[in-house]
Amino acid sequence: MTDLKRTPLHDLSQAANGRMVPFAGWEMAVQFSGLVAEHTAVRQAVGVFDISHMGVLRFSGPNPKDALQKLVPTDLHRIGPGQACYTVLLNETGGILDDLIVYDMGDDTVLAVINAACADSDRAWLEQQLSGSGISISDEKEDGVLLALQGPDAQRVLEGLSGTSLAELPRFGQRMLPLPALGVDVLVARTGYTGEDGFELLLPHDAGRQLWSQLLNAGVTPCGLGARDSLRLEAAMHLYGNDMDTTTSPLEAGLGWLVHLENPVDFIGRAALEQEVDQGSQRKLVGLRLEGRAIPRHDYPILDGEQTVGTVSSGGWSPCLEAGIGLGYVPKALAKVGTELAVEIRGKRHPATVVKRPFYRRPA
């Protein structure tokens, strides 16, 4: 693993008994105390994830939202300073190049958090598309730290460290937050990838290391990639490269709410999505729940009778539901909730039912 990149928290993760594995060109902790223990900590209390492998880009110049608006199907002018939104980058055929979160920082500045596996290709594509626009792109994170503090106790813990109330910060709201003990103000957003309340924080290198240690000393559970995946799967959140890629459109991926065709901007992929709206999607992403102890995995065949009608895009065991769950694409006619299908696991058929997504929803 000598060619893999390491985050500023690599040694601290190892010291916390993190088991390191390769992931998207990085060496990351897959688990610390165990997947189920970490998963449960986030659902019932609070956990912290090192997500410093993800990219953070700064777009600066005259009207950066106007420039970016031509690259995404979501109306970026629905958000203002102090707000953020989830969206996707599309190619000309309406396929998804990556998913990202866009932050309006005001003062002609926009940030975007992008996936680690797509960081280099995203930046090259964005620079090509924005060439001549007057918008400059820079690395906002550099050697800094990106943390995700997730769970029902996340607000209490972060307020205790900052001395600042976060009660008025809405979902997808973002602001600068003072951390007096560290002597810095950091960007905090009420976002996450777990289906729980929580925050994502961008910090300088040294402050990030200090905050990680403070959180662990305060009893926050360190969590790895394994729990991050099981949590997002229960919340039916998409994983780029599995549940969406350049061969899937946001409409068939269940992300039609990101597509604002009433906005007249001629964004890349618009014509393809308009055609799909007119003709209807041929397939749909569905949630599947299996019977018994059967666990679906990525690429397992989805069956209707004896016929293979799709493949599992993401799957695993749900600690909260105590059942195997998965996502996958099937023909539109088989996508209705309640449809009885099956998943083939090691040559055997295991009954599966199309269920409403998300599989898990946090208590109100």
Side-chain angles (χ1 to χ4, degrees):
M1 294 192 285
T2 54
D3 294 334
L4 297 174
K5 291 178 280 189
R6 293 177 171 180
T7 79
L9 304 181
H10 182 273
D11 61 317
L12 298 180
S13 294
Q14 287 184 312
N17 297 316
R19 181 161 69 84
M20 314 305 287
V21 299
F23 179 77
W26 294 75
E27 188 177 355
M28 304 289 295
V30 66
Q31 64 179 37
F32 293 86
S33 54
L35 187 152
V36 174
E38 296 164 28
H39 184 110
T40 303
V42 173
R43 288 284 181 249
Q44 297 182 359
V46 60
V48 62
F49 301 80
D50 177 14
I51 56 171
S52 306
H53 59 304
M54 300 185 74
V56 185
L57 300 179
R58 172 185 283 263
F59 300 84
S60 304
N63 302 314
K65 278 202 300 190
D66 286 343
L68 283 172
Q69 186 64 81
K70 299 174 183 178
L71 310 182
V72 300
T74 308
D75 183 359
L76 297 181
H77 289 281
R78 294 189 180 194
I79 64 169
Q83 297 177 315
C85 68
Y86 175 67
T87 188
V88 288
L89 299 174
L90 302 178
N91 60 22
E92 290 287 358
T93 62
I96 300 172
L97 297 169
D98 197 9
D99 62 335
L100 65 161
I101 297 181
V102 175
Y103 300 77
D104 186 339
M105 307 302 293
D107 299 324
D108 280 339
T109 300
V110 168
L111 298 185
V113 175
I114 57 178
N115 283 303
C118 304
D120 292 339
S121 58
D122 279 0
R123 181 159 184 177
W125 186 83
L126 287 162
E127 287 177 341
Q128 178 186 28
Q129 298 300 324
L130 296 177
S131 176
S133 68
I135 304 299
S136 63
I137 305 176
S138 57
D139 180 1
E140 180 74 2
K141 178 169 63 71
E142 297 181 333
D143 67 343
V145 171
L146 195 60
L147 293 179
L149 185 68
Q150 301 285 298
D153 291 344
Q155 179 177 320
R156 175 186 60 79
V157 168
L158 192 53
E159 287 178 339
L161 291 173
S162 67
T164 302
S165 173
L166 292 164
E168 300 304 315
L169 187 67
R171 178 77 172 150
F172 277 88
Q174 43 91 0
R175 55 166 291 187
M176 297 304 294
L177 181 72
L179 293 178
L182 305 183
V184 295
D185 289 356
V186 303
L187 176 64
V188 59
R190 200 160 206 152
T191 52
Y193 194 47
T194 63
E196 294 295 337
D197 187 23
F199 305 88
E200 294 178 323
L201 301 101
L202 178 63
L203 305 95
H205 181 283
D206 291 347
R209 288 175 58 86
Q210 292 177 58
L211 181 58
W212 172 270
S213 297
Q214 284 185 349
L215 291 169
L216 267 57
N217 290 336
V220 176
T221 300
C223 301
L225 296 170
R228 186 168 162 81
D229 192 55
S230 61
L231 288 159
R232 72 92 194 167
L233 180 58
E234 284 188 343
M237 292 180 169
H238 299 61
L239 174 63
Y240 188 79
N242 283 41
D243 309 306
M244 56 185 171
D245 56 28
T246 54
T247 70
T248 56
S249 81
L251 299 176
E252 61 188 11
L255 296 173
W257 54 279
L258 299 179
V259 178
H260 300 150
L261 293 176
E262 68 277 13
N263 185 16
V265 173
D266 187 21
F267 58 84
I268 291 175
R270 182 185 182 105
L273 295 187
E274 288 178 332
Q275 183 177 9
E276 186 176 347
V277 168
D278 289 340
Q279 298 179 356
S281 303
Q282 298 303 302
R283 59 177 186 163
K284 291 287 187 179
L285 185 70
V286 299
L288 298 170
R289 179 166 176 163
L290 275 65
E291 297 181 7
R293 307 292 292 181
I295 303 176
R297 300 292 185 190
H298 176 65
D299 273 349
Y300 283 8
I302 300 172
L303 308 175
D304 178 30
E306 299 301 318
Q307 181 182 6
T308 298
V309 293
T311 58
V312 175
S313 55
S314 286
W317 182 255
S318 164
C320 289
L321 302 179
E322 296 187 333
I325 58 174
L327 299 171
Y329 287 89
V330 300
K332 184 179 179 180
L334 299 175
K336 185 178 179 181
V337 170
T339 301
E340 298 293 335
L341 299 171
V343 173
E344 183 179 321
I345 303 175
R346 291 182 291 277
K348 294 184 178 181
R349 298 175 77 261
H350 292 266
T353 304
V354 175
V355 296
K356 188 176 180 180
R357 293 176 289 147
F359 302 98
Y360 164 90
R361 194 183 299 274
R362 72 173 183 263

